Amino acid sequence: MAIQAMLNTSEMAVSDEMAVQITGMNKWYGTFHVLRDINMTVQKGERIVICGPSGSGKSTLIRCINRLEEHQQGQIIVDGTELTSDLKNIDKVRSEVGMVFQHFNLFPHLTILENLTLAPIWVRKTPKKEAEETAMYFLGKVKIPEQAHKYPGQLSGGQQQRVAIARSLCMKPRIMLFDEPTSALDPEMIKEVLDTMIDLAKEGMTMLCVTHEMGFAQAVANRVIFMDQGQIVEQNEPKEFFNNPKSERTKLFLSQILGH
Amino acid sequence: MAIASDMPKPVFRLGMLIYDTRYRTITIQVIVLLLTLIFAGWLVDNVRSNLALKGKDIDFSFLFRRAGYDIGQTLIPYNNDMTHARAAVVGLLNTLVVAVIGCILSTILGVVLGVLRLSKNWIVARLVMVYVELFRNIPLLLWIILVYVVLSETRPQPKDFKIVDGAAAAQMNLWNSIAITNRGTNIPAPLLDRPLPSPDWLPISASALAVIVLIIGSVLVNRLILRRAKVVQEATGLRPTTWWQSLAVLFVPTAGLLMVMGFHLDYPVLTGFNFKGGLNVAHAFTALTLALTLYYASVTAEIVRSGIQAVSRGQSEASYALGLRPGRTMNLVVLPQALRVIIPPMISQWLSLTKDTSLGIAVSYLDLRGTLGGITLNQTGRELECMLLMMLIYLIISLIISAVANAYNASVKLKER
Amino acid sequence: MQFVRTQMLAPLSPPITERGAVKWLRENLFSGGLNSALTLLAAATLYYLATLSLPWLLHGVWKANSLSECRTIIAANFGPDAGGACWAVIRARWYQFIYGFYPPEIYWRPILNFGLLFVAMTPILFSDNPASAAKLVGVVAVLTVIMLALAQGPVWLFVLCGAIMAGCFLLATIAPARLLPVTAVYPFATVWLLWGGSVWGPLMAMLGFVILAAVYRLLSPRFGVVVATATGFVIACIWWVALQGYVSGALQSIIPLAVQPVESDKFGGFLLAFLIGVSSISISLPIGILLALGRQSDMLLIKSLSVGFIEFVRGVPLITMLFVASLLLQYFLPPQVQFDLILRVVILVTLFSAAYNAEVIRGGLASLPKGQFEAADGLGLDYWQSQRLIIMPQALKVSIPGIVSTFIGLFKDTTLVTFVGLAEPLRGVTTIVRADINWKGIYWEPYLFVGAIFFVTCFGMSLYSLYLERKLKTDHR
């Protein structure tokens, strides 16, 4: 595969430091048990792809990591900070963890540049000029510096998603979460976003990515986690996961998304 | 040039007036224009023959004759020797004062209610919902009349406030500063011991003018402070704390000026059978303002609720994910977007409120309708002139407000592909 | 690194602190300091309101002849300091609140008319929901019969009206669409039932519309909608203005069919409010649609006339429009023309709400994707066909909440007719009641009663609009 050639996973350094550690985590929506006994660790520099059928709790899981969702039992430690109802911890985690959403969620009333500098200015207390320089740097990295003074509504979906990635990067996060970043895009725009994500992976960013792009998983991931019914059913390195799935559920899922 | 000579010359036929799209619109418009002119001519002719039959003419000179009636609440000097025009201006100001106070209060109350309506607190959200439905589904007129009747029929007479044998039948409210009697509400009046000398040519007193100028100045200085804070933030990243500076700038100079001029409150005191001193606010004013406020607060609450709901959850989630606190998220992300949805219907509510001040007729409040369209009309018998003038004035107010709304809409329109 | 789950975990129920009443209370009432404070504040407000109003409501007296008698009864039953509601005033003046000064011996006419109103509305309100239609007509038929029984008319009338309502119910259950003719005849039946007089007047007026429709049918295939309508309208006008009076007079002298006439100043109470409300609502919608189309039109003259009218009407308070009806309209009509105050008020209220409807519908039109207009053109439909078949159904669907809230506003605004001397229930009737020596000093009870009826009607309308919105939520998202 072309992408695979670009990135040899074994070369990438994975440190022993923990980026995310989740132990015995449970979550309920009302009486619905949405996440069941989740145990997982992510090392710094690791790139994890989470997949599974819809409604399996994969989005909920990564939304718990920056506490957009509350968990009710168990422990989540992100970069050494435990997520509790303590606001200080939540602030700390959120400023260290970037997130990219399925529907981009750019702020439509601000220009691209303002979208990118908002959080650095108000959260990181960066001087405006410096924030704008950083923003332009990252816009350059996602290859749309010329759009800086336009509004999100004037950009295509793929461009918007790249802006959203740049917006997260401007906060210099240590971990990036991707929640189905390509599901809302037209096919011809998926590649430009995936390319951006691959570039990011090359630089050693710790990434947790909910996606159905199996090519991306094979090319970039250190590990693939398969979830079903709110629990982790199987995890393995990509080659093993795709070529030799162990669980029946995994086999069924893979046959459904790769079968046609 | 063979082709050109083959082209048939366009021949005009009468049927084309109806069937040809080029002429059709013109034909229709000409017919409509004719009909409109005939209709207008018919109306004018009717007015003329009716006026002739009644022996009247159209004449606005009555505006400059002596009005001869008193108005209870006057914001500018007025007595019954002044002209009908002056009375109309007094009425217009009475309309505007209720409108302005009503708009401000209903907006404040409505915003609070709209936010509470979205609260996660079940009981509070339900209470607000009941409030909104109650006021939205019952005529405004009922609230005006009810408040008025309750005030003027349940409140004690002034003489009941008299202390007889160490006890009074009725108590004043708010540390003996306000007395609500069946004849009106007596509130403390702001008075100055050493007012600034007012030249004759000023329509309002120099002291009031000075206070207004000072307040405007303070607001401008405050904006300077905020702008400087922004500049500092942009340069260093750290926003200086400004709230105490703002507070000082906004309030200290005005307070100082008032102190210099010897500002004090003149409390209403019961003397004999009535209250002396202070201001007597007529129940008509209170009822109208209060009912308009309560009613339009319910409308505003719904506008605010739907405006905030119109900003998708993803917006605040994205903001949280970037590390912005809920307060900042509200200020920087949700409100700027919600306001675009909220302000246009809000302005049209303010317009409706302004027009609904004319319901003061139910409690005999002398607003523009009460003076120009009421007593003046009845005294002079100039129905046509008074009504036309009154409608014109209302129309001008409305057009000004809609012009503001349109300008706002144009300025905040989201840019899209 | 590797992990395979061999045994799937069964769902567990949430821990005790996360479920049931405890969780509900914690999340909904006591999720934080501010929230708890709000809860307590709300509870205190509720408690205060309850202590203020509950005893008063519970001590209510229904049978008495005057306010002082009420007070005596309450004092005797609940102690001298107890307050209580004196509902007896509603009971004593019930008929005045409902009918104003309408002659009591012919109450059956407004009652039957009220029943028929719902029958006439059914095919429009529940066009594709026969079950609801039958239910509504059934309930209304029963209510009408009960009201007729209470009104104490002659037995044969009771039987006749009961039979009419039963027939309508039967029709609604078997074939609701067959009720449409009732809807078409209803406006003329209303005029005849309420105002009385010769049956030929309304019948011949109806004939004018039949003429209009016939001319339209005849001409529209050949000359197009506009010409056909205009010609039909002109011919109908000639009929109404020049011929109708003579014909109905002649018919009346040949076959005298008439009931006791009732003057307009006898109308009052909720009869008046509903009369003005319903007629203005039903006429203002089509006018509103035309105005909205006019405002969207490419023809400059039509557009500016529409804009001018809409902005003028929306710029002045309704009260001034009502004063125009009572004071100025006579100036603009030929000197010998005198027509009824209620009719004048209905016309101006209709024009007033038509302007508001036009703006709401314009919003609906603006929200339609441009493709819809192009698709309609592409199908080869002419202007009126594409408006009727494609554009308007969608625009109206989008505008329903706005239209219904205009209607609610209009119905509430019928109270303003009190200022031109009509005895509507809120201020007109209540003032008369409060002026009675027996009921002097009463205020909460009549206003609460009138307010409650307005609340039920308006809230009902907004519930219906929610029902419609849900039913029509088929597209565009």
Side-chain angles (χ1 to χ4, degrees), chain C residues 73 83 135 183 188 192 229 269 307 364 418 442:
Chain C
I73 295 173
K135 225 179 282 169
T183 313
F188 307 96
W192 184 59
T229 315
V307 171
T418 178
I442 201 162

Side-chain angles (χ1 to χ4, degrees), chain B residues 35-78:
Chain B
L35 288 177
T36 316
L37 287 179
I38 292 171
F39 184 66
W42 183 69
L43 288 183
V44 169
D45 185 56
N46 284 337
V47 169
R48 222 180 18 217
S49 45
N50 277 314
L51 282 174
L53 215 65
K54 292 194 164 105
K56 289 181 177 175
D57 53 355
I58 293 186
D59 182 5
F60 283 93
S61 63
F62 71 93
L63 281 174
F64 306 102
R65 292 201 202 104
R66 180 175 177 275
Y69 60 90
D70 290 309
I71 300 174
Q73 173 191 319
T74 53
L75 294 184
I76 53 172
Y78 171 82

